[in-house]
Amino acid sequence: MADARRRLACAALLSSPLLVHAALREAIVRIKPSIVVVGTLMRSRAPAFELKGTGFVVGNGTLIATNAHVASVKLDDEKFEILSVLAQVDGKPQIREARIVASSPEHDLALLQIQGAPLPALALGDSSRVAEGQSIAFTGFPIGSVLGFTPVTHRGIVSAITPIVIPVDNVSQLNAPNRNRLARGSFPVFQLDATAYPGNSGSPVFDPDTGEVIGIINMVLVKAGKESVLAQPSGITYAIPASHLAAMIAAQR
């Protein structure tokens, strides 16, 4: 009887809000050095660096994961606009030139190669084991062009695991890209109850207990499929499972 009471007391302690918040605080400390701003650099422009979205360091420390639509920006070659990332290195901002080495429009994911010394990389978790109701957090640069380039963390849960495109009664309600996607076959994405904002695209979704990345915030591809029939898109946030990113990284080895 005493042993049962001790086990119940330990279980209650492990699930206490204080320990849950402590785990998240520790995870944020580990995550933040790996979060970068993905943007473009044009030295004749003021400001010279312009945010396009969020990215995070993976693999050997010189690869940056982000959304394909964030990385595939139209550059002004005549004005020497360069795809770049802005990272914090030893507490100081550092701009690194970048180039796209892999892209998956199907999953709206891209890998960038950056110049210079490796940065601390994040570990990828097993996204196939993610369950509805699971706690998550994501870190990025919401409205960074206005609020500044300080990494911001939001937390919530996986509220649903759902197909990227929802079939409708009338196919005419779908745009051409979504009709093509349904024809090729859908894949599951994570629906989150935490709100992402412009600038969060490409943010890593991670397990607060382990710090492992289980998904990538997507503000374009998924919303186009899930909310294409809505006159006013909702504030729901979606993430691409990290398994698709893991496959891209493996192909680079």
Side-chain angles (χ1 to χ4, degrees):
M1 190 71 176
D3 288 342
R5 284 197 295 268
R6 278 196 295 270
R7 285 196 295 271
L8 287 173
C10 289
L13 180 61
L14 289 173
S15 62
S16 71
L18 289 178
L19 285 182
V20 170
H21 292 160
L24 179 58
R25 287 197 299 269
E26 293 172 2
I28 290 172
V29 170
R30 298 196 305 272
I31 292 287
K32 284 177 66 174
S34 303
I35 307 299
V36 302
V37 187
V38 179
T40 62
L41 177 67
M42 184 190 296
R43 301 195 183 279
S44 60
R45 181 175 61 198
F49 184 85
E50 185 176 275
L51 174 145
K52 299 300 180 183
T54 298
F56 57 99
V57 187
V58 293
N60 63 6
T62 66
L63 292 176
I64 304 296
T66 189
N67 289 153
H69 78 265
V70 170
S72 302
V73 295
K74 184 175 176 58
L75 301 174
D76 190 334
D77 295 331
E78 293 183 0
K79 295 184 178 179
F80 302 102
E81 189 175 19
I82 304 167
L83 182 64
S84 306
V85 303
L86 175 64
Q88 289 289 330
V89 181
D90 297 327
K92 297 179 180 179
Q94 188 176 98
I95 295 177
R96 304 273 191 96
E97 290 187 19
R99 63 184 180 89
I100 300 173
V101 293
S103 181
S104 173
E106 180 73 12
H107 303 105
D108 196 18
L109 294 174
L111 282 175
L112 311 181
Q113 182 88 52
I114 58 171
Q115 298 181 351
L119 300 174
L122 298 183
L124 302 187
D126 184 358
S127 58
S128 69
R129 301 183 65 180
V130 172
E132 294 179 355
Q134 177 175 332
S135 295
I136 57 90
F138 58 87
T139 302
F141 301 95
I143 325 176
S145 56
V146 176
L147 301 182
F149 297 151
T150 299
V152 177
T153 300
H154 298 81
R155 65 187 178 93
I157 65 168
V158 177
S159 51
I161 300 176
T162 177
I164 189 172
V165 176
I166 297 297
V168 294
D169 294 333
N170 189 338
V171 73
S172 65
Q173 293 177 295
L174 292 174
N175 57 29
N178 287 335
R179 289 198 296 270
N180 293 337
R181 178 173 296 282
L182 281 176
R184 291 192 302 268
S186 188
F187 63 89
V189 294
F190 304 141
Q191 181 174 315
L192 314 177
D193 73 339
T195 302
Y197 298 89
N200 269 129
S201 285
S203 298
V205 179
F206 59 92
D207 183 324
D209 292 328
T210 65
E212 293 181 331
V213 176
I214 57 174
I216 303 90
I217 294 291
N218 189 283
M219 298 290 286
V220 172
L221 179 68
V222 183
K223 278 187 176 291
K226 303 290 286 186
E227 303 178 6
S228 61
V229 299
L230 298 181
Q232 295 184 348
S234 72
I236 297 172
T237 297
Y238 302 97
I240 305 293
S243 57
H244 303 293
L245 175 62
M248 292 178 66
I249 296 172
Q252 296 300 304
R253 293 172 183 159

